[in-house]
Amino acid sequence: MEKFNKFEKLDRQIEQTIHEVETMNRHTFFEKFIHNSFAFAVIWALFLNLIIETLGRYPTTSIWGGVQFMAGHPLVFCYNALLIFSSLLVASVFRRRTFVFTIISIFWMTIGIVNGVILTQRMTPFTVKDLSNLEDGATIVTTYMSKTEIILIGAGILLALTGLVLLFVKGPKKKGTLKWKRNLVVVILMIAMCFGATSFMVKIGKVETFFGNLAYAYRDYGVVYCFINTWLNTGISKPSGYNEKNIKEIFNEDELGEDEVMLLEDKDVDEEYPNILFLQLESFIDPSTVEYLKLSGDACPNFRALAEQYSSGELTVPACGAGTANVEFEVLTGLSVKFFGPGEYPYKAVLKDKPAESLAFDLKSLGYSTHAIHNHRAVFYNRNTVFANIGFDTFTSIEYMNNVVKTPKNWAKDRVLTECITDALKSTESHDMIYTISVQGHGKYPTEQVLQNPAIQVLEAPSEELKWKWEYYVNQVYEMDQFIKELTDTLAKYEEPVILVMYGDHIPAIEVEEQDLKNHNLYGTEYIIWSNCDLPKDDEDLHAYQLAAHVMDQIGMEVGTTFTYQLNHSNSETYLQDLKALGYDMLYGKNYIYGGTNPFSATDLKMGVNTIKITDVVKIGEKYYIKGENFNQYSKVTLDGKELSTIYLGKNVLGLLEDVDPEDAPNMKVSQIETKSNEILSTTE
C-alpha cells in the first residue's frame, strides 16, 4: 500500500512538471511572438488592410465590404497587406520600434479614414494629389462639415499627438544589441519583393497601372496599391521611341510650317469667325435621367429645349462628383487627363509653373481677346496663376463681381455671370473667347430640408436623406436653367455672332450607381452648342478633350497643335497614342513639335475686365472716404501693401475705419483681397 502511494505521488509530480513545461512553452512562444516585429507585423498588416478596405467601401456598400473584398479577391487583398507589411518592417531598424510601428500604423489608418470620409462627400477616392490641395480643401471645409465635427476632429488630432509624445518619452526601447543591419537587409529584400509582386500581379491581370476609372480601380485593386500608385505615377510617361522624327511624323507635311514645326502665327480674324464662349456648369445634369427619382416638375426645361434645337450630345468627362479643374484642362488643351498619373491635377502640377499651349493661346493668334470668368475664389486650383500660363488676358473671379447672391450652402448663384459675360464681350473691339466656370450646383448637399416652398419637389427617392439632397440639388439646377435662358436671351440680341458651348462638368456628388442613370454612365453629362447665327445641327457624342476641336470643325477653323491633330487624325489607329505623345512633348519633353523651345510665355493677366481706380480721397471730420469706380465687398484700402480696416459703402465709395497720417493719405490704394487666404489679387496704380 505504501509503495502504491509512492507511485501515485510520483505520477502527480510528473503531471505537474509536464503542465509547468507546457505553460512555460506557451508563455515563451507568446512572448516571442509579441516581441517579434516581423511576425506581429504580418497579422497587423492584414488587420489594417481589412479596416482600410472596409472604410473605403462602407459609404457605398455595407460595413462588411472589407470582408467581402477579402473573400472575393484574396490574392489582391494579401498583396495590399504585403505593401503595408513592408512599411511596418521599417520599425525593426529602430530601438523605439513600438513608437515607429505606431506612427506607420497611424499613417495607414489615416489614409483609410480620410478616404472613407472623402467618399461620403464625393465619388472620387483619396489620392496623393489631394495633399497638394490641402490649402484649397481647408478653405471649404466648413461647407462640408459642421463646427462640432471640426472641433471633434481637432480634439482627436490633439489627443493623438499627445499620446504619441507620451509614447516616445515613456514607451519601450529595444534593449541589448540592435541588429539593425540584419533588419535593414530584410526590409530592403521585402521592398524588392513588393516590386516583384507588383510585376507579377500586373502580368496576371490582377491589378493595372492605368486607371480608366479611379473609383473602380480603388474598388478592384485595393486602396493601398492605388494610393501608392497616385504617388509614384505622375505626369505623362515618356513615349516609347520618343524623338524628333517620330513626333513630327504625327502630322502630315502640309500641317506643319515651313520649318516643319507647329508654331502659331498671328493672323487677322476673318469676319466670319464668331465670339466663342464656353460655359462649364457645376455638377449639372438633367435630374430626369436619374431612374429612381420622381419630381413634381421639370428642373431644366430650357436646357432640354435647346438640346432639341441645337447641336448636342453626351459628353464623357474625366471627373465623377468632383474634379472641375480637370474638365477645364481637357476642354482648353485638347489633352486627356488620363495621360497623367491617376488623380493628378495639371493645374496643381505642371501648369502651375510652366506656360503651355491652350485654346486661349491658339485663338489669340487669330486676334481674339481671351477671358476667364468664375464666380468663386481666384486662387482656387491656382487659377489666378494657371490662367496666365495658358494664355488668358483677363480673369474675373468672385472678388471682381457685384450683386452676388449665395445659395443656402454659401456658393455663389450663377445669375451674376450674365453681366460678367456681357461686360467681357463689350470690353474689347476684337472678337472674344470667354471661358466661364459656374459654381451654383456645387455640393455638399444637405441631408435635411433647407428649402421652404421649393419650385421642384422630390416626390420619390430611395431614402429620406437622399430626398433632401436631391431636392436641394434639383432646385439649384432649376435656377441654373433659368440663368441659361436669361443668358441665351441676352446673347440672342447681341450684334456680333456668338457661339455658346454649355455642358456639365460632372454628375453631382450624390449616391448613384451606373444602373441608376438612364445612360448608365457615371462619367457622362451633356453639351449644347448654341448660337445666335446660322450653325448646322450636328449631334455627336464626345469626350471633353474633343469638344473644342468639334466646335472648330463646325465653324471652319483650324488652329493649334492638339486641335489640328484631332481635326485631321481622329480616325487614326494610333489616335490616343499620338495625342499622348504630343502631350508629353509639349509639357515634359524637348518641344520637338515647336522646334526645340517652348514658344509660350505667361500673359500679363488682368484681374477683372472693369478697371478699379481711385478718383478722389476725401476727408470728412476725422474720417477718410475713398471715391472711385468698380469697388465691391472685396475692395480694401491698403497702404504700403498693408490692409486697412475698410467698409464698403457702394460701387463708388469706400470708408476707412482707422486713423491714417495725413501725409500718408495720398499713398493709399485699393486692393482686391481674397478673404480666405488674405492674398492681394490686384492693387490700383
Side-chain angles (χ1 to χ4, degrees), residues 197-435:
T198 302
S199 298
F200 173 74
M201 294 292 285
V202 171
K203 186 175 181 179
I204 65 175
K206 291 297 183 179
V207 300
E208 301 287 346
T209 56
F210 173 75
F211 302 163
N213 181 311
L214 194 61
Y216 291 173
Y218 271 63
R219 180 194 66 188
D220 297 337
Y221 311 145
V223 174
V224 173
Y225 167 72
C226 291
F227 185 83
I228 293 174
N229 210 298
T230 66
W231 168 45
L232 298 178
N233 185 1
T234 61
I236 301 177
S237 59
K238 185 178 180 179
S240 175
Y242 173 68
N243 57 49
E244 184 175 6
K245 178 176 179 291
N246 288 340
I247 289 296
K248 290 184 176 180
E249 285 184 348
I250 291 174
F251 291 94
N252 301 325
E253 288 185 6
D254 60 344
E255 293 171 330
L256 299 175
E258 294 181 358
D259 298 327
E260 295 187 347
V261 294
M262 184 69 72
L263 294 176
L264 296 174
E265 298 178 2
D266 291 341
K267 302 175 183 178
D268 292 332
V269 176
D270 192 308
E271 288 297 327
E272 68 185 26
Y273 287 160
N275 298 289
I276 301 175
L277 281 56
F278 287 83
L279 175 59
Q280 184 168 297
L281 297 160
E282 172 65 43
S283 302
F284 187 93
I285 63 168
D286 182 349
S288 68
T289 62
V290 182
E291 297 277 16
Y292 62 62
L293 282 183
K294 183 177 180 182
L295 307 177
S296 64
D298 191 348
C300 54
N302 297 305
F303 188 86
R304 191 179 301 105
L306 293 175
E308 291 292 328
Q309 185 178 353
Y310 298 92
S311 297
S312 62
E314 183 174 279
L315 187 70
T316 298
V317 296
C320 182
T324 296
N326 275 350
V327 183
E328 289 173 46
F329 172 83
E330 289 206 347
V331 175
L332 286 167
T333 65
L335 297 170
S336 171
V337 295
K338 290 183 179 179
F339 298 157
F340 294 78
E344 188 168 2
Y345 287 90
Y347 276 22
K348 283 285 187 180
V350 61
L351 292 184
K352 184 178 178 181
D353 303 306
K354 181 176 182 177
E357 184 175 355
S358 73
L359 181 64
F361 271 127
D362 294 342
L363 294 183
K364 279 172 69 67
S365 73
L366 299 180
Y368 277 78
S369 296
T370 55
H371 314 275
I373 300 171
H374 185 30
N375 52 339
H376 193 47
R377 300 167 47 244
V379 301
F380 204 57
Y381 281 112
N382 298 315
R383 286 186 176 98
N384 60 322
T385 299
V386 171
F387 283 159
N389 283 336
I390 59 176
F392 282 100
D393 296 321
T394 72
F395 177 26
T396 303
S397 61
I398 194 171
E399 292 88 359
Y400 297 84
M401 298 179 183
N402 281 293
N403 305 315
V404 177
V405 180
K406 299 291 187 72
T407 70
K409 299 304 291 183
N410 205 37
W411 301 104
K413 293 192 175 185
D414 291 342
R415 189 173 181 180
V416 69
L417 297 172
T418 299
E419 182 179 359
C420 297
I421 291 170
T422 54
D423 282 349
L425 283 170
K426 296 174 182 177
S427 67
T428 68
E429 295 295 328
S430 62
H431 287 29
D432 296 290
M433 177 270 196
I434 304 174
Y435 197 93

Side-chain angles (χ1 to χ4, degrees), residues 30-246:
F30 181 74
E31 187 178 54
K32 285 184 177 180
F33 176 77
I34 289 298
H35 289 284
N36 187 327
S37 58
F38 292 87
F40 182 72
V42 172
I43 304 300
W44 187 244
L46 291 167
F47 174 74
L48 276 178
N49 194 46
L50 178 62
I51 297 299
I52 291 169
E53 294 298 339
T54 299
L55 292 171
R57 286 164 169 74
Y58 177 64
T60 55
T61 54
S62 71
I63 197 171
W64 301 108
V67 175
Q68 292 169 354
F69 176 65
M70 180 175 62
H73 303 82
L75 187 60
V76 177
F77 181 89
C78 290
Y79 165 67
N80 279 266
L82 175 66
L83 298 176
I84 298 175
F85 170 70
S86 298
S87 66
L88 292 172
L89 287 188
V90 173
S92 65
V93 180
F94 298 88
R95 286 194 178 277
R96 297 183 183 274
R97 60 178 54 178
T98 302
F99 175 77
V100 177
F101 194 91
T102 303
I103 290 290
I104 298 171
S105 299
I106 289 175
F107 169 79
W108 287 117
M109 187 62 77
T110 300
I111 298 300
I113 293 171
V114 172
N115 183 57
V117 171
I118 284 179
L119 285 173
T120 65
Q121 313 298 334
R122 71 184 196 196
M123 303 175 73
T124 305
F126 181 49
T127 72
V128 171
K129 305 304 180 299
D130 286 320
L131 297 176
S132 65
N133 297 333
L134 283 178
E135 184 178 347
D136 287 340
T139 62
I140 60 172
V141 68
T142 54
T143 303
Y144 291 99
M145 294 183 178
S146 67
K147 290 183 179 179
T148 302
E149 290 173 329
I150 295 172
I151 292 172
L152 288 174
I153 291 173
I157 293 174
L158 183 61
L159 187 63
L161 290 175
T162 303
L164 286 174
V165 171
L166 291 174
L167 180 61
F168 182 82
V169 175
K170 301 290 187 180
K173 293 173 60 177
K174 172 69 176 177
K175 297 179 180 179
T177 303
L178 175 64
K179 300 178 181 179
W180 67 270
K181 291 183 180 180
R182 181 204 65 179
N183 293 349
L184 181 60
V185 170
V186 173
V187 171
I188 293 173
L189 290 174
M190 187 55 62
I191 293 174
M193 180 179 174
C194 285
F195 279 101
T198 302
S199 298
F200 173 74
M201 294 292 285
V202 171
K203 186 175 181 179
I204 65 175
K206 291 297 183 179
V207 300
E208 301 287 346
T209 56
F210 173 75
F211 302 163
N213 181 311
L214 194 61
Y216 291 173
Y218 271 63
R219 180 194 66 188
D220 297 337
Y221 311 145
V223 174
V224 173
Y225 167 72
C226 291
F227 185 83
I228 293 174
N229 210 298
T230 66
W231 168 45
L232 298 178
N233 185 1
T234 61
I236 301 177
S237 59
K238 185 178 180 179
S240 175
Y242 173 68
N243 57 49
E244 184 175 6
K245 178 176 179 291
N246 288 340

Side-chain angles (χ1 to χ4, degrees), residues 528-566:
I528 298 172
I529 304 177
W530 176 95
S531 68
N532 65 353
C533 51
D534 291 333
L535 203 65
K537 182 174 173 59
D538 180 16
D539 295 345
E540 186 176 343
D541 293 341
L542 302 167
H543 288 269
Y545 57 84
Q546 299 171 319
L547 183 58
H550 182 64
V551 174
M552 286 184 182
D553 187 42
Q554 289 211 322
I555 62 178
M557 176 189 290
E558 183 176 306
V559 65
T561 304
T562 57
F563 303 121
T564 296
Y565 172 76
Q566 290 185 9

